[in-house]
């Protein structure tokens, strides 16, 4: 069965610190997609990144970077020089579906608090 | 551009009362629609998804039901709410298959007392 584990329930850092959010997944599929979403206090989930199983290149977008390693089934998310606005719950998700739909299997989320 | 509307934003209901949450999508046709629930301090659990009008798939046996009376309308219902139905309910849509990202509504905080 598909499963996503985010072992870190809560992380607290001081502004400008770097922080890494861990994500480990389980799947028997050879083709799959991984996602990260941000949930700010307003509640709406905001899409951050999508990665397919055949692309292991790390990705950087501004202060955000993602490290995808199939050998360890991990898809970790790093925020460099964190800011107060980064405070949110972050979810890692794995796609499951066939044909014309996508069911996302979410991890439990990591609550990040960035303090001034 | 596409938008998703979900209402109400908050709802307080007594145990045993009915429930109806509505979600509509604009700016796209034949979207896949989803209802997720987020219990306090937990991840998101997929409740229902729909790939077309009248087509509903249930992921978890429960006290809730879903309907899709129109292409871009998705409704979550219950005849009699339980305390365990409390949570944050999110509607989402996607276009296409397994690689497509989901777009989420702003959610409904349901408290059953």
């Amino acid at each position: 069965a598909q499963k996503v584990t985010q072992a870190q329930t809560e992380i607290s850092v001081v502004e400008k610190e770097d922080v890494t959010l861990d994500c480990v997944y389980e799947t028997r599929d050879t083709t799959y997609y991984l996602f990260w979403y941000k949930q700010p206090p307003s509640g709406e989930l905001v899409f951050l990144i999508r990665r397919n199983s055949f692309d292991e290149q790390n990705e950087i977008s501004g202060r955000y970077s993602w490290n995808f390693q199939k050998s360890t089934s991990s898809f970790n998310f790093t925020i460099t020089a964190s800011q107060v606005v980064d405070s949110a719950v972050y979810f890692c998700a794995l796609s499951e579906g066939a044909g014309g739909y996508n069911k996302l299997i979410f991890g439990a989320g990591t609550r990040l608090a960035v303090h001034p | 551009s596409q938008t998703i509307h979900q209402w109400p934003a908050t709802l307080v209901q007594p145990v045993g009362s009915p429930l109806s949450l509505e979600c509509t999508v604009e700016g796209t046709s034949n979207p896949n629609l989803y209802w997720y629930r987020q219990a306090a301090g937990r991840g998101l659990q997929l409740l229902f998804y729909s790939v077309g009008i009248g087509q509903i798939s249930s992921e978890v046996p429960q006290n809730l039901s879903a309907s899709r009376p129109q292409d871009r309308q998705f409704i979550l219902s219950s005849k009699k709410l339980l305390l365990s139905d409390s949570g944050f309910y999110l509607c989402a849509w996607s276009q296409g298959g397994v690689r497509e990202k989901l777009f989420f509504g702003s959610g409904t905080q349901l408290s059953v007392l």
Side-chain angles (χ1 to χ4, degrees):
Chain A
Q2 314 258 22
K3 185 179 178 182
V4 177
T5 301
Q6 294 180 256
Q8 304 151 307
T9 305
E10 293 188 31
I11 299 176
S12 181
V13 300
V14 177
E15 209 169 17
K16 297 184 183 178
E17 284 186 33
D18 298 347
V19 58
T20 296
L21 284 61
D22 298 333
C23 173
V24 175
Y25 63 91
E26 296 176 27
T27 180
R28 285 178 289 186
D29 294 341
T30 55
T31 301
Y32 52 90
Y33 294 83
L34 295 162
F35 300 77
W36 275 95
Y37 279 84
K38 174 182 180 179
Q39 185 180 39
S42 60
E44 179 178 342
L45 267 74
V46 177
F47 167 80
L48 294 178
I49 191 173
R50 172 185 57 209
R51 171 67 68 204
N52 76 59
S53 54
F54 297 106
D55 183 2
E56 289 192 70
Q57 280 193 340
N58 292 332
E59 183 158 339
I60 298 175
S61 176
R63 296 183 298 106
Y64 295 171
S65 62
W66 290 269
N67 184 320
F68 176 35
Q69 293 194 346
K70 287 181 73 172
S71 60
T72 56
S73 297
S74 65
F75 186 41
N76 297 336
F77 173 31
T78 297
I79 301 175
T80 302
S82 59
Q83 300 176 1
V84 173
V85 294
D86 296 327
S87 298
V89 180
Y90 291 86
F91 290 97
C92 180
L94 172 68
S95 62
E96 179 183 48
Y101 63 92
N102 180 11
K103 295 190 298 181
L104 288 184
I105 308 301
F106 284 86
T110 297
R111 181 176 299 276
L112 173 64
V114 182
H115 303 284
Chain B
S1 63
Q2 302 90 357
T3 56
I4 178 169
H5 303 280
Q6 187 180 343
W7 67 93
T10 59
L11 191 60
V12 180
Q13 292 285 98
V15 170
S17 64
L19 172 74
S20 180
L21 302 181
E22 190 163 342
C23 172
T24 59
V25 180
E26 297 178 356
T28 187
S29 60
N30 197 30
N32 297 323
L33 297 172
Y34 310 82
W35 278 111
Y36 280 86
R37 177 170 62 197
Q38 183 179 15
R42 302 182 66 179
L44 283 79
Q45 180 185 40
L46 179 62
L47 302 177
F48 302 94
Y49 67 93
S50 171
V51 298
I53 296 175
Q55 300 178 61
I56 308 295
S57 296
S58 174
E59 286 293 293
V60 183
Q62 59 211 317
N63 186 42
L64 302 169
S65 62
S67 61
R68 185 171 177 173
Q70 299 180 44
D71 181 44
R72 290 167 289 177
Q73 183 185 29
F74 205 23
I75 298 173
L76 183 69
S77 304
S78 173
K79 293 182 179 178
K80 289 185 178 182
L81 284 169
L82 305 172
L83 287 174
S84 58
D85 292 324
S86 293
F88 190 59
Y89 290 82
L90 285 156
C91 181
W93 74 273
S94 71
Q95 194 73 60
V98 70
R99 70 181 299 274
E100 298 303 322
K101 60 188 176 185
L102 271 61
F103 297 91
F104 286 83
S106 54
T108 296
Q109 183 64 55
L110 172 65
S111 299
V112 183
L113 307 177

